């Protein structure tokens, strides 16, 4: 309690400007001292300064006689205003210790009634919440702190002539030119009707990003890890997925080389068919601690379940809960999240490209996402999807909305920007997606 009395004495001695916002009333082990500090915050907010007279008067006007007596004792105790920073750190450290101990007690209390998987998820969540509280008192920074890296990045662009995305590059030129890369703490949604190639588009990004050494974590209730691996090997080798599944019509050395390359990449997969957003959070945190994490991929959002108390709500409420939690995960872990999403069936009843309103349960998604993009492919006279694809970015927090043409290569399920269509074993036909020099 020595540090707590000292911080109260410092607060009443002109140091509230240094303390305010860095210590919370709930950080005090003594509830009475916590109430004294809460009163000090109120006085500081109203007057811009705190002294023994104004704080004492505030406490007495509220009938807080016990608190007023404790303030007097705190002022009579030994304290040094020059040590206010040390007092702040001591109080915050002890508050975190108490919260962690309380979380541990809660885990023990729930251990008997929860199954092992649910217990691990709950334990991770409780510890995460306890330690996150330690960061809630982060202070505003002067504008010169973020301006420095911005200045250096822009000057580097000007002097080198090389324009690189500010965020994490997707490796898909058409996408990066519009969104300027994926930013830490952001949700990037790629949506489309079934068959448009959402998973293939995401795997192309995974392959490109992982080759730069960025660890990636994929959550896929939609596809098995074997199916995702086939997509990655196909993208790496140029061997069609159909050929890979049948085991014919490709060179063994190309296949072996591709498998070795994919196996060396920092990619981790979770393909549990039923997954709650709480489990996703806990597994993401564990994976980040063990392997690092620079990108999280979710395939797809509407298959992630909300927390237990939200499971009986409407579909829109469920998606809203998942969306808000994913946004919190992205910010807390400081990574971008690439999330795939389905569209409403209503789009099939009309012509034209997708709009934001076509997103299934779109309200919260529109609010939380920094980028929302759609993959759109028309059908030919036979009702088959054409290879020519339009990437429609309908929300772009960093810049303007835009569209970009691409071609979908059916055999490898890859997307090629038209500006680079000659870079990858020949150009795929816009209608069929077949390459002119595709080998077997």
């Amino acid at each position: 309690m020595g540090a707590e009395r000292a911080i109260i004495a410092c607060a009443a001695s002109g140091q509230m400007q240094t303390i305010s916002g860095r210590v919370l009333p709930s950080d005090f082990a003594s509830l009475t001292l916590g109430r004294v500090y809460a009163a000090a915050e109120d006085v500081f907010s109203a007057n811009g300064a705190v002294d023994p007279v104004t704080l004492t008067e505030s406490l007495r006007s509220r009938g807080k006689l016990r608190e007023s007596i404790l303030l007097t004792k705190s002022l009579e105790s030994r304290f040094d205003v020059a040590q206010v920073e040390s007092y702040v750190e001591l109080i915050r450290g002890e508050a975190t210790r108490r919260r962690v101990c309380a979380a541990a007690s809660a885990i023990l209390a729930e251990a008997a009634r929860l199954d092992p998987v649910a217990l691990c998820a709950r334990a991770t969540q409780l510890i995460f919440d306890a330690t996150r509280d330690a960061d809630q008192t982060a202070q505003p920074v002067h504008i010169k702190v973020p301006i420095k890296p911005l200045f250096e990045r822009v000057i580097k662009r000007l002097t080198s002539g090389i324009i690189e995305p500010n965020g994490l590059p997707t490796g898909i030129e058409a996408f990066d030119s519009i969104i300027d890369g994926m930013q830490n703490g952001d949700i990037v949604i790629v949506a489309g009707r079934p068959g448009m190639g959402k998973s293939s588009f995401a795997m192309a990004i995974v392959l490109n990003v992982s080759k730069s050494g960025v660890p990636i974590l994929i959550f896929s209730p939609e596809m098995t890890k074997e199916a995702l691996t086939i997509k990655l090997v196909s993208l790496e080798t140029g061997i069609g997925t159909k050929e890979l599944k049948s085991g014919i019509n490709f060179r063994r050395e190309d296949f072996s080389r591709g498998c070795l390359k994919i196996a060396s990449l920092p990619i981790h997969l979770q393909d549990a068919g039923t997954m709650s957003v709480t489990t996703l959070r806990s597994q993401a945190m564990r994976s980040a601690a063990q392997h690092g994490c620079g990108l999280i991929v979710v395939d797809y959002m509407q298959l992630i379940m909300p927390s237990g108390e939200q499971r009986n709500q409407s579909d829109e409420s469920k998606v809203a809960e998942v969306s808000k939690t994913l946004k919190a995960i992205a910010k807390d872990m400081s990574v971008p999240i690439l999330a795939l999403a389905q569209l409403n069936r209503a789009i099939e009843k009309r012509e034209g490209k997708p709009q934001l309103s076509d997103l299934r349960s779109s309200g919260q998604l529109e609010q939380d996402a920094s980028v929302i993009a759609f993959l759109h492919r028309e059908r030919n006279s036979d009702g088959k999807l054409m290879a020519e694809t339009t990437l429609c970015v309908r929300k772009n927090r960093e810049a303007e909305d835009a569209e970009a043409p691409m071609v979908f290569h059916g055999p490898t399920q890859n997307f090629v920007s038209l500006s680079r269509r000659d870079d990858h074993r020949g150009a795929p036909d816009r209608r069929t997606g077949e390459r002119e020099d595709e080998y077997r």
Side-chain angles (χ1 to χ4, degrees):
M1 190 180 292
E4 294 187 355
R5 286 193 175 190
I7 206 75
I8 292 296
C10 289
S13 301
Q15 296 298 309
M16 196 60 189
Q17 188 169 352
T18 302
I19 303 167
S20 181
R22 300 175 63 191
V23 175
L24 304 175
S26 59
D27 289 337
F28 286 76
S30 166
L31 297 179
T32 306
L33 285 174
R35 289 191 289 270
V36 175
Y37 181 74
E41 282 194 324
D42 291 342
V43 172
F44 182 70
S45 178
N47 303 332
V50 180
D51 59 48
V53 175
T54 56
L55 183 51
T56 300
E57 184 60 31
S58 175
L59 290 169
R60 287 179 176 174
S61 66
R62 303 179 189 187
K64 303 292 185 180
L65 299 180
R66 182 180 178 187
E67 285 76 5
S68 177
I69 293 171
L70 195 53
L71 168 61
T72 302
K73 291 182 177 179
S74 297
L75 288 167
E76 293 172 350
S77 64
R78 296 183 60 183
F79 69 95
D80 183 357
V81 293
Q83 297 297 317
V84 64
E85 293 287 350
S86 298
Y87 300 148
V88 168
E89 293 306 317
L90 279 170
I91 290 174
R92 291 180 58 184
E94 288 303 311
T96 298
R97 190 192 308 275
R98 288 194 301 275
R99 292 186 182 107
V100 171
C101 289
S105 298
I107 293 167
L108 286 173
E110 297 185 22
R113 69 178 185 85
L114 295 177
D115 63 76
V117 174
L119 178 61
C120 288
R122 178 63 175 156
T124 304
Q125 180 67 55
L126 287 169
I127 295 297
F128 177 78
D129 290 342
T131 54
R132 183 175 58 177
D133 285 340
D135 298 325
Q136 296 302 302
T137 53
Q139 294 296 289
V141 298
H142 192 275
I143 189 64
K144 67 182 179 183
V145 175
I147 204 71
K148 182 179 179 182
L150 172 64
F151 178 82
E152 292 174 347
R153 185 168 60 247
V154 172
I155 292 299
K156 181 180 178 181
R157 284 186 172 189
L158 291 173
T159 55
S160 67
I162 300 175
I163 299 179
E164 298 178 347
N166 286 321
L168 180 66
T170 67
I172 298 177
E173 185 179 280
F175 202 21
D176 285 329
S177 66
I178 298 173
I179 68 171
D180 202 21
M182 299 179 290
Q183 311 294 324
N184 288 341
D186 283 355
I187 297 180
V188 176
I189 293 178
V190 175
R193 290 295 299 151
M196 291 293 168
K198 300 185 297 296
S199 296
S200 298
F201 189 81
M203 288 307 103
I205 293 175
V206 165
L207 186 61
N208 295 333
V209 172
S210 62
K211 284 184 176 180
S212 65
V214 175
I216 299 175
L217 180 58
I218 303 172
F219 293 97
S220 179
E222 169 74 353
M223 300 181 67
T224 66
K225 52 181 174 291
E226 290 79 10
L228 294 173
T229 302
I230 287 175
K231 283 183 178 291
L232 290 169
V233 173
S234 179
L235 289 168
E236 173 62 22
T237 62
I239 303 172
T241 55
K242 185 182 295 185
E243 283 73 21
L244 287 173
K245 292 175 182 178
S246 64
I248 58 174
N249 296 331
F250 59 84
R251 291 193 290 265
R252 181 173 177 175
E253 56 270 26
D254 293 333
F255 174 65
S256 299
R257 191 182 305 114
C259 287
L260 288 173
K261 178 62 178 178
I262 297 300
S264 70
L265 298 176
I267 302 171
H268 290 81
L269 308 134
Q270 167 58 277
D271 64 351
T274 301
M275 185 183 306
S276 71
V277 71
T278 304
T279 300
L280 188 152
R281 183 203 286 265
S282 63
Q283 293 195 4
M285 292 169 57
R286 282 201 299 270
S287 183
Q290 295 172 359
H291 314 292
C293 184
L295 173 65
I296 295 174
V297 179
V298 179
D299 182 13
Y300 59 89
M301 282 189 69
Q302 286 94 340
L303 289 181
I304 303 296
M305 298 297 294
S307 55
E309 61 272 17
Q310 295 288 335
R311 293 189 180 183
N312 295 323
Q313 302 297 317
S314 66
D315 288 345
E316 186 168 351
S317 296
K318 291 178 182 178
V319 173
E321 172 72 13
V322 171
S323 177
K324 288 188 288 186
T325 306
L326 288 180
K327 180 63 177 178
I329 293 170
K331 293 192 70 174
D332 291 337
M333 295 182 62
S334 190
V335 299
I337 293 182
L338 175 63
L340 307 186
Q342 287 280 22
L343 297 185
N344 295 316
R345 294 187 179 275
I347 190 175
E348 298 177 350
K349 300 177 183 178
R350 63 171 173 80
E351 296 182 356
K353 297 170 183 175
Q355 303 296 326
L356 289 175
S357 57
D358 294 316
L359 261 179
R360 186 180 295 174
S361 306
S362 61
Q364 191 67 40
L365 299 184
E366 289 183 41
Q367 180 176 326
D368 293 331
S370 296
V371 173
I372 299 178
F374 300 100
L375 293 174
H376 178 68
R377 297 161 62 193
E378 297 286 353
R379 295 184 183 273
N380 60 22
S381 57
D382 296 328
K384 295 182 179 180
L385 288 170
M386 298 174 64
E388 188 168 6
T389 306
T390 303
L391 176 65
C392 310
V393 178
R394 297 295 188 228
K395 179 181 179 182
N396 188 11
R397 191 167 289 167
E398 295 297 321
E400 296 180 351
D401 300 350
E403 295 183 0
M406 299 187 299
V407 175
F408 180 70
H409 179 229
T412 60
Q413 300 185 14
N414 192 14
F415 287 90
V416 180
S417 302
L418 289 185
S419 60
R420 300 187 61 185
R421 55 185 301 204
D422 296 325
D423 294 349
H424 191 75
R425 290 197 177 96
D429 185 271
R430 294 192 186 196
R431 294 166 298 175
T432 65
E434 297 295 333
R435 293 193 185 280
E436 297 171 359
D437 61 348
E438 184 74 24
Y439 67 80
R440 293 288 185 265

